[in-house]
């Protein structure tokens, strides 16, 4: 990569959801934002390590990791990033590569009124860890392996190579994980270096909270990445005049077919959940139009086994460039 390369994203993985979609070539959700001679990683879905290699991206050029929210389909290979770094990354740099994501939820979600007995949470002493604690615990789970390598092979510790941080939501936003998970707010800065300014805003993905979208602003242009969310005005504001919006999308025709003929409470609740927490293709197009974006690309595709041609059949007209990428596609966002 040289400085003449135009700024672009690489869609490392484009499938959404915690399932391994049968007959799908799409890997778990992950995106590289390539700027000048380095890159930033947004989300660490299943297969991200191998996909970075296939994209020709070296861990040496990684400048930051951004996690939209703590659902497992976005974090399952965060451990891979932590562990692979030992072999490629320079530990003489002094400060760790930032891993920036949601903080501790602060409270468990309410128990469903359908519960017939009290559900028992995992790790009741620390039931809602944020990004910083999650990364430390992931690395501690590999302590036997890591300590061999640190003591015997003199490899660097991933806890030195990386600096996991929780995003501090401005108090003025009035965020509360259960009572007000997506207050109307303006984007706020979460990271800055010589190449990019990264801002975040709260999006609507209940019961997950906080859930963020990110925008990368560079000298050549900008890209806004939705994370998981239903249509929200916070995202419209964040994506204003972006060179590229990468937005999640769900095929509600497929979801409806899963629950066809079922009108029991649990099926209805599952269906409701998808409508409250995800975005139709139609709404993604509406959002891109309202934001005045030049390009819209859909990712985090649910179901992950549908091909780009099948997605195009349910696509709505968009005045700008409209893409439904496969894994490892390159999409420019520079001017
Ligand atoms: Zn997801
Ligand atoms: Zn999610």
């Amino acid at each position: 990569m040289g400085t003449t390369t135009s700024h672009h994203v690489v869609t490392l993985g484009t499938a959404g959801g915690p399932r391994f979609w049968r007959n799908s070539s799409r890997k778990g959700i992950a995106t590289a934002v390539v700027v000048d001679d380095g890159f930033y990683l947004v989300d660490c879905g299943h297969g991200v390590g191998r996909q970075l290699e296939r994209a020709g991206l070296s861990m040496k050029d990684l400048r930051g990791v951004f996690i939209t929210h703590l659902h497992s389909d976005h974090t399952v290979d965060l451990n891979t990033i932590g562990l692979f770094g030992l072999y490629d990354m320079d530990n003489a740099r002094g400060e760790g590569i930032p891993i920036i994501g949601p903080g501790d939820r602060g409270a468990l979600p309410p128990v469903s009124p359908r519960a017939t007995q009290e559900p028992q949470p995992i790790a009741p002493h620390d039931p809602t860890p944020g990004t910083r604690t999650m990364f430390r615990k992931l690395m501690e789970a590999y302590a036997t392996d890591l300590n061999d390598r640190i003591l015997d092979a003199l490899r660097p510790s991933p806890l030195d190579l990386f600096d996991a941080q929780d995003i501090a939501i401005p108090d003025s936003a009035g965020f509360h994980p259960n009572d007000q998970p997506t207050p109307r707010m303006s984007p706020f800065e979460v990271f800055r270096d010589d190449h990019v300014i990264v801002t975040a805003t709260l999006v609507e993905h209940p019961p997950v909270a906080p859930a963020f979208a990110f925008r990368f602003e560079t000298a050549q242009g900008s890209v806004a990445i939705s994370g998981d969310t239903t249509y929200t005005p916070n995202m419209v504001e964040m994506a204003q005049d972006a060179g590229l919006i990468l937005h999640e999308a769900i095929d509600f025709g497929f979801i409806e077919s899963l629950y066809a003929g079922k009108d029991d409470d649990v099926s209805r609740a599952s269906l409701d959940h998808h409508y409250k927490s995800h975005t139709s293709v139609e709404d993604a197009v509406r959002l891109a139009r309202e934001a005045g974006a030049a390009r819209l690309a859909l990712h985090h595709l649910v179901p992950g086994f549908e091909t780009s041609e099948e997605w195009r059949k349910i696509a709505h007209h968009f005045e700008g460039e409209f893409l439904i990428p496969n894994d490892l596609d390159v999409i420019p966002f520079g001017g």
Side-chain angles (χ1 to χ4, degrees):
M1 285 182 286
T3 49
T4 53
T5 312
S6 78
H7 297 176
H8 60 273
V9 302
V10 183
T11 53
L12 300 170
T14 52
R19 307 169 71 156
F20 294 93
W21 299 105
R22 206 177 300 154
N23 302 324
S24 175
S25 58
R26 300 184 191 278
K27 297 285 192 291
I29 186 70
T31 306
V33 179
V34 182
V35 178
D36 300 329
D37 53 359
F39 73 96
Y40 306 82
L41 184 58
V42 180
D43 287 330
C44 297
H46 185 250
V48 66
R50 173 56 58 90
Q51 293 299 85
L52 285 172
E53 284 191 11
R54 292 178 71 198
L57 294 168
S58 164
M59 291 286 287
K60 281 191 185 68
D61 298 321
L62 176 64
R63 293 207 200 101
V65 180
F66 295 82
I67 303 293
T68 57
H69 65 296
L70 297 178
H71 260 157
S72 57
D73 54 319
H74 298 250
T75 57
V76 69
D77 273 2
L78 182 58
N79 58 347
T80 306
I81 296 300
L83 298 170
F84 276 12
L86 271 63
Y87 308 100
D88 277 344
M89 292 168 69
D90 178 8
N91 67 330
R93 66 170 69 230
E95 56 190 61
I97 299 294
I99 297 173
I100 295 174
D104 193 311
R105 191 181 195 283
L108 284 166
V111 173
S112 166
R114 292 184 185 81
T116 52
Q117 53 186 6
E118 187 74 11
Q120 295 305 305
I122 298 278
H125 56 284
D126 187 14
T128 55
T131 302
R132 182 180 163 79
T133 303
M134 180 179 185
F135 186 69
R136 178 178 54 77
K137 286 184 173 185
L138 282 170
M139 294 302 105
E140 285 179 358
Y142 289 91
T144 303
D145 166 72
L146 286 171
N147 286 330
D148 277 3
R149 299 185 195 278
I150 291 166
L151 300 182
D152 179 60
L154 304 181
R155 293 282 182 189
S157 162
L159 296 179
D160 293 330
L161 288 174
F162 293 94
D163 177 18
Q165 306 165 25
D166 295 344
I167 293 173
I169 301 166
D171 286 344
S172 57
F175 166 82
H176 183 281
N178 295 335
D179 301 340
Q180 190 157 236
T182 318
R184 185 72 184 89
M185 72 181 302
S186 292
F188 60 101
E189 185 176 316
V190 294
F191 177 80
R192 167 191 295 252
D193 64 13
D194 293 342
H195 308 271
V196 296
I197 297 171
V198 183
T199 51
T201 197
L202 285 163
V203 291
E204 195 168 344
H205 189 47
V208 172
F212 295 107
F214 296 118
R215 176 174 176 134
F216 291 74
E217 198 73 52
T218 78
Q220 281 186 24
S222 55
V223 54
I225 301 177
S226 69
D228 287 11
T229 181
T230 189
Y231 170 94
T232 166
N234 283 356
M235 183 63 194
V236 178
E237 181 177 343
M238 156 154 279
Q240 217 45 236
D241 301 319
L244 170 66
I245 297 176
L246 264 177
H247 207 287
E248 72 121 276
I250 190 166
D251 176 358
F252 279 110
F254 166 77
I255 299 295
E256 293 277 359
S257 74
L258 285 183
Y259 297 100
K262 299 178 187 167
D263 55 2
D264 59 286
D265 279 356
V266 174
S267 297
R268 280 169 177 272
S270 299
L271 201 51
D272 279 358
H273 162 81
H274 285 99
Y275 280 108
K276 278 190 298 196
S277 306
H278 293 287
T279 303
S280 65
V281 177
E282 187 175 6
D283 274 350
V285 168
R286 172 162 69 105
L287 180 138
R289 185 176 294 137
E290 289 172 3
R295 279 187 202 91
L296 168 65
L298 303 182
H299 72 168
H300 194 275
L301 300 169
V302 174
F305 57 73
E306 285 181 2
T307 64
S308 295
E309 288 66 38
E310 288 169 315
W311 280 94
R312 250 174 234 117
K313 282 182 202 152
I314 58 167
H316 289 249
H317 176 70
F318 176 59
E319 296 72 17
E321 193 178 347
F322 187 14
L323 304 163
I324 298 165
N326 291 308
D327 288 4
L328 302 177
D329 278 4
V330 171
I331 310 174
F333 61 84

